[in-house]
Amino acid sequence: MRGMRRARSRTLARALALMCASACLASIVDASAYGSRATRNQRRAQREDAGAHFRAYTWGIGGERVGRPSDPSKLPPARVELEESVGEIVAVAASGHTAVVNERGELYTAGRNSSAGGGGHGSPPIDDSGQIGRGGDPGALERVRGDLVGEVVTSVGCGRYHTVVSTGSGRVYAFGLNDVGQLGTHGIMGEGPKRDVICDSGGRCEGIDQIKDALAEVGEKCIGGPACRMGEPARVKFENENVQIKSVVAGRYSSAAITKDGDVFVWGLNSCGDVSGHRDELVSHPRDAAKPRRVNIKDVVSIDIGYTNMIFRTSRGAVFTCDTGFTGYTAVAVNAKVAIVQHDFANEYKAIDVAAGRCHYAVATEAGTVFTWGCQALGREGDKMKPQPVGGDLASRSVETVAAGEYFTLVTTDSGEIYGWGSDANGQLGVQADSSNTFHSPVQVNVGPKVGTALAVAAGYQHSVAILQQKE
């Protein structure tokens, strides 16, 4: 297996060198996020046939976020609607919105552009939180411009109500809701919710007056506040202006980035690795929360952020996790384990991909096995909190990529199949949507006959996105 993987990697490297040369992409994508997934085409994409194309398909929940204005149905999986001139799709990400990147490094978005859906915790939404980064039809995939014009997008992450991207110049840009500093830069204060009690997007109402230092008048720059948001890309500044970012991710209320040297920075409500106990200060002072902070871990090649959790993979295939230190509703999690923990199973099974869901983890290994642990969407029986392999139909297959959404998990195999497990309430597993449908073992996602082979998947809150390789 290891020898075959090395040989395959050499073939892919040659194919991608040709693709990158023609597209002017210095690097393709090496990032992921909770509710989001960006591809790692360095390892997986195949374009050995000149007639092959990379195309994005969506399924689940339907409506604006599937990027198919003429057919916004949740099922069956169908190709997103983009002009042929957009070209090949090399990266995808998903949350309550969808993001795709083409081979020229242009970003296209569709989906929810408000902060509706706070989880039933009394959060008054704002109508223009801005996570699609543009005006126009939210149900159609349209290009995000602004400060991204002239940049080459190399990775994208979709958080609950915000989006982050990295570019070939080593910069980071963000847009969307900025109520707790998750953008890492300023927003513009919008009209607040018309309600006597001001809450943030997670339903936190008590103590909101503690962040008066971040509030601003409508139309002014802001960092923090329930209506602070940015509707177009804004650059994230790091203390060291020379830092070069390789990839980014976005979670519920935080963002993170990997430098080209393998260091990790976080901002927003994320205290991963910080045992000093200063989490209350991040909640009270979003200007402090918005400052990128280094995590004490080295040689990192991929990361993911879940609702309240984070996972890291190093170049050696080691796996580390930690809690962000917050509940997912902008409150401090008293019993959170923010210390970074290394997982022993990766000493024997080298990790090649990692994902963090709402409250679970998934890891693909060099042996082709996928390990899961956490609250649910595990696809197996046994101890939930101990990493254990997923069997069933995957026992005879080799998993290459993993994606973790809200209560569901998706994987792709080396033969180009997609499997999933967990909730299918909105059709996110590609099976008939049913509120009672929960799959406790892997089921194959039916993308239709002769559609193509899957290269990577993204798991959002209630929908899914995949890149499929198709031949003419």
Side-chain angles (χ1 to χ4, degrees):
M1 178 61 68
R2 288 184 176 88
M4 182 167 66
R5 179 175 292 280
R6 285 196 296 269
R8 185 165 180 256
S9 295
R10 286 194 295 269
T11 300
L12 299 188
R14 288 195 296 270
L16 282 163
L18 293 174
M19 179 177 178
C20 289
S22 64
C24 300
L25 277 174
S27 61
I28 309 212
V29 176
D30 192 10
S32 61
Y34 166 52
S36 85
R37 199 73 190 143
T39 69
R40 294 179 178 78
N41 287 313
Q42 294 98 323
R43 186 174 66 245
R44 305 178 189 100
Q46 296 188 68
R47 200 181 184 193
E48 299 171 8
D49 189 325
H53 295 281
F54 299 162
R55 290 167 173 158
Y57 276 65
T58 56
W59 62 94
I61 205 167
E64 294 174 338
R65 70 189 74 178
V66 297
R68 293 183 264 113
S70 69
D71 176 26
S73 59
K74 62 180 68 175
L75 292 171
R79 183 182 171 186
V80 301
E81 296 174 10
L82 285 167
E83 296 290 337
E84 290 297 331
S85 60
V86 170
E88 314 303 330
I89 301 302
V90 299
V92 294
S95 178
H97 56 296
T98 298
V100 304
V101 180
N102 69 5
E103 60 186 329
R104 295 187 294 275
E106 298 166 345
L107 175 67
Y108 293 77
T109 60
R112 187 170 61 193
N113 202 37
S114 73
S115 59
H121 289 262
S123 55
I126 61 173
D127 295 331
D128 58 346
S129 45
Q131 59 265 42
I132 65 173
R134 58 172 180 81
D137 183 359
L141 281 164
E142 296 180 2
R143 186 178 172 188
V144 179
R145 297 181 181 273
D147 286 352
L148 291 185
V149 174
E151 294 273 19
V152 174
V153 174
T154 57
S155 75
V156 57
C158 293
R160 179 74 179 221
Y161 307 113
H162 74 291
T163 305
V164 292
V165 301
S166 64
T167 68
S169 63
R171 296 170 179 167
V172 175
Y173 294 84
F175 44 94
L177 194 65
N178 199 31
D179 56 346
V180 292
Q182 60 265 53
L183 296 189
T185 185
H186 71 83
I188 301 296
M189 187 63 73
E191 294 284 350
K194 309 236 178 346
R195 182 168 165 175
D196 292 338
V197 178
I198 297 177
C199 307
D200 63 24
S201 61
R204 176 179 170 272
C205 305
E206 297 179 357
I208 200 74
D209 58 335
Q210 295 177 356
I211 63 170
K212 287 182 179 179
D213 65 320
L215 298 182
E217 298 298 323
V218 173
E220 293 181 347
K221 290 184 178 181
C222 57
I223 298 178
C228 184
R229 81 291 184 273
M230 192 67 181
E232 60 183 18
R235 186 178 171 186
V236 178
K237 299 291 184 66
F238 292 78
E239 185 175 3
N240 179 357
E241 295 182 356
N242 296 319
V243 67
Q244 289 285 298
I245 300 301
K246 181 182 72 171
S247 62
V248 291
V249 300
R252 169 76 176 187
Y253 283 113
S254 67
S255 307
I258 305 174
T259 72
K260 293 181 179 180
D261 295 327
D263 294 325
V264 177
F265 286 85
V266 297
W267 57 94
L269 295 187
N270 192 326
S271 289
C272 178
D274 181 4
V275 297
S276 62
H278 295 155
R279 283 173 279 159
D280 285 317
E281 296 178 11
L282 295 183
V283 174
S284 301
H285 302 287
R287 291 183 182 275
D288 292 336
K291 296 176 181 177
R293 305 173 295 280
R294 191 187 300 269
V295 179
N296 188 25
I297 186 170
K298 298 289 186 180
D299 195 29
V300 175
V301 293
S302 64
I303 54 179
D304 202 2
I305 307 177
Y307 225 65
T308 62
N309 50 322
M310 194 168 181
I311 190 167
F312 309 78
R313 176 176 69 93
T314 71
S315 63
R316 304 183 310 278
V319 174
F320 298 82
T321 61
C322 63
D323 291 343
T324 63
F326 299 89
T327 63
Y329 293 101
T330 73
V332 172
V334 177
N335 297 318
K337 299 177 181 178
V338 296
I340 296 173
V341 176
Q342 183 172 3
H343 294 272
D344 294 337
F345 78 93
N347 294 333
E348 180 179 357
Y349 299 92
K350 182 179 179 180
I352 61 172
D353 200 13
V354 296
R358 181 180 178 116
C359 49
H360 71 287
Y361 297 108
V363 175
T365 68
E366 194 175 50
T369 306
V370 58
F371 286 76
T372 60
W373 68 100
C375 63
Q376 49 187 301
L378 303 182
R380 61 168 177 80
E381 298 179 347
D383 188 341
K384 290 184 177 182
M385 303 314 295
K386 180 180 179 181
Q388 293 184 358
V390 177
D393 288 349
L394 292 184
S396 58
R397 290 168 172 81
S398 181
V399 171
E400 291 210 324
T401 76
V402 292
E406 187 172 53
Y407 305 131
F408 72 105
T409 305
L410 298 172
V411 303
T412 65
T413 69
D414 62 352
S415 58
E417 301 168 310
I418 303 174
Y419 282 82
W421 55 87
S423 173
D424 189 50
N426 294 282
Q428 57 265 56
L429 298 184
V431 183
Q432 183 62 45
D434 187 326
S435 60
S436 64
N437 272 2
T438 298
F439 293 87
H440 299 288
S441 60
V443 294
Q444 187 170 359
V445 177
N446 181 15
V447 293
K450 301 181 180 179
V451 168
T453 57
L455 301 176
V457 284
Y461 278 84
Q462 296 149 324
H463 81 293
S464 306
V465 190
I467 296 179
L468 299 177
Q469 177 186 322
Q470 298 177 316
K471 294 183 178 181
E472 294 292 351

